[in-house]
Amino acid sequence: MVVLEVRTTKRCQLLEITDMVTGAIEESGVKNGIAVIYAPHTTAGIVINENADPSVEQDISMKLSKVVDERDPDYRHTEGNSDSHIKASIVGPSQSIIIQNGRPLLGTWQGIFLAEFDGPRPRKVFVKVIEG
Ligand code: ZN
């Protein structure tokens, strides 16, 4: 397993990690199989979506912040970041991708992102490559 280390720069952002994940897959030497990309955090997740137009990643972050209020008098969690936990639960902590010819099989417009919901801070992403 490869551990990627990244640093986010905003409270909420989608940080592209496609090249780092591709590097981890190439490093494994596996030509065909599956890669699991997993964020071991409670306020961040993994998203696969458009990387061609950066407006899309900004819109995803912006809309999630509108849907999930940062402050809500009914939140019970005393750390003050319930919105971050809820957003991370919505997007989920992992994605699986198919590996073909040693590379992640992504669509033309797709990229892999760490979805940060309580940054800025250092984050880890686990990449587990399974041959098959
Ligand atoms: Zn918390």
Side-chain angles (χ1 to χ4, degrees):
M1 188 181 78
V2 173
V3 180
L4 305 177
E5 301 200 13
V6 298
R7 176 171 284 277
T8 58
T9 58
K10 297 177 191 161
R11 183 164 192 270
C12 293
Q13 84 184 108
L14 265 61
L15 181 71
E16 185 164 13
I17 57 170
T18 307
D19 289 347
M20 295 176 82
V21 171
T22 300
I25 291 168
E26 286 171 356
E27 205 175 290
S28 76
V30 170
K31 297 296 175 202
N32 294 288
I34 297 283
V36 178
I37 304 140
Y38 183 87
H41 301 290
T42 61
T43 55
I46 303 294
V47 167
I48 296 178
N49 212 286
E50 173 159 344
N51 68 353
D53 178 0
S55 301
V56 174
E57 61 201 64
Q58 291 164 15
D59 284 352
I60 292 169
S61 286
M62 178 272 291
K63 195 63 177 180
L64 280 170
S65 293
K66 285 190 177 177
V67 170
V68 183
D69 294 331
E70 185 172 344
R71 304 271 172 243
D72 186 323
D74 293 333
Y75 286 155
R76 300 168 61 94
H77 180 49
T78 54
E79 197 187 4
N81 63 350
S82 285
D83 64 314
S84 313
H85 292 291
I86 293 164
K87 291 177 206 167
S89 299
I90 290 170
V91 306
S94 72
Q95 297 285 337
S96 303
I97 53 172
I98 297 165
I99 300 165
Q100 193 173 69
N101 301 320
R103 298 185 58 81
L105 188 57
L106 290 164
T108 305
W109 311 109
Q110 285 182 316
I112 306 162
F113 300 86
L114 172 82
E116 174 64 83
F117 299 118
D118 198 18
R121 59 167 87 191
R123 295 294 196 178
K124 287 182 168 48
V125 177
F126 298 159
V127 181
K128 177 71 175 179
V129 177
I130 302 155
E131 194 164 21

